[in-house]
Amino acid sequence: MPDRQSTPSTRSLPARLARYRSQALRLQESAHVAMQRGQWSQAEDLIWGSLVAASRGLALWYGEDAGDDAKLKEFVRRVGDAEKDRYIRDAFDHLSALAETAERVRERRTRVDYFILAMDDLDEGIDRLVARIPGGDDTLPSIDPDDDVADFGG
């Protein structure tokens, strides 16, 4: 029988919140590194992971069910509406726009600076979500873009 003290579901709330916060920030930074390297698909995947981690962390804090993408998107939209914060409210819309822009960059139908501009609003939304997750004073681990950080277990 596994030790229940080490299972993700029994970790303390502050530890789980810190983990989501840390993942969101590491993935966001890794996305920027990938973008600088011209790895558009990887940057897109990493920034998606960052937004999901930040959103799930905040949902955990609020005690919301964010088990699937639709519930998570609706939760983020409600938080943005309640706080009158368009960056949060539209974060997943910005993610969709980023995906479309990345595709146009890959096909060389648009300039790279449009991808960077599309990322700015998404970055702001992620930053604002992360800022609402308690535990912001915790020391975060160093960023290594080659780390396997896409672990979103609760």
Side-chain angles (χ1 to χ4, degrees), residues 11-18 20 54-66 72 75 133-134 154:
R11 279 189 222 145
S12 71
L13 180 61
R16 291 175 68 200
L17 293 171
Y20 277 119
S55 300
R56 285 192 178 157
L58 192 60
L60 175 63
W61 175 245
Y62 278 82
E64 288 280 331
D65 176 17
L72 192 61
F75 166 72
I133 301 171

Side-chain angles (χ1 to χ4, degrees), residues 1-60:
M1 180 179 244
D3 178 13
R4 294 197 46 82
Q5 294 299 323
S6 63
T7 62
S9 62
T10 59
R11 279 189 222 145
S12 71
L13 180 61
R16 291 175 68 200
L17 293 171
R19 182 177 175 139
Y20 277 119
R21 215 173 176 289
S22 173
Q23 285 180 334
L25 294 172
R26 287 188 322 208
L27 288 165
Q28 185 181 32
E29 182 63 27
S30 294
H32 285 273
V33 170
M35 188 174 64
Q36 291 169 351
R37 293 177 181 166
Q39 299 167 326
W40 310 115
S41 293
Q42 185 178 12
E44 183 184 344
D45 290 344
L46 290 164
I47 204 69
W48 172 85
S50 176
L51 177 58
V52 168
S55 300
R56 285 192 178 157
L58 192 60
L60 175 63

Side-chain angles (χ1 to χ4, degrees), residues 120-139:
D120 285 346
D121 282 341
L122 184 53
D123 273 336
E124 186 65 27
I126 291 169
D127 290 343
R128 290 175 184 217
L129 285 165
V130 167
R132 284 164 174 75
I133 301 171
D137 297 331
D138 295 343
T139 303

Side-chain angles (χ1 to χ4, degrees), residues 24 56 97 114 143 154:
R56 285 192 178 157
Y114 288 113
I143 297 166

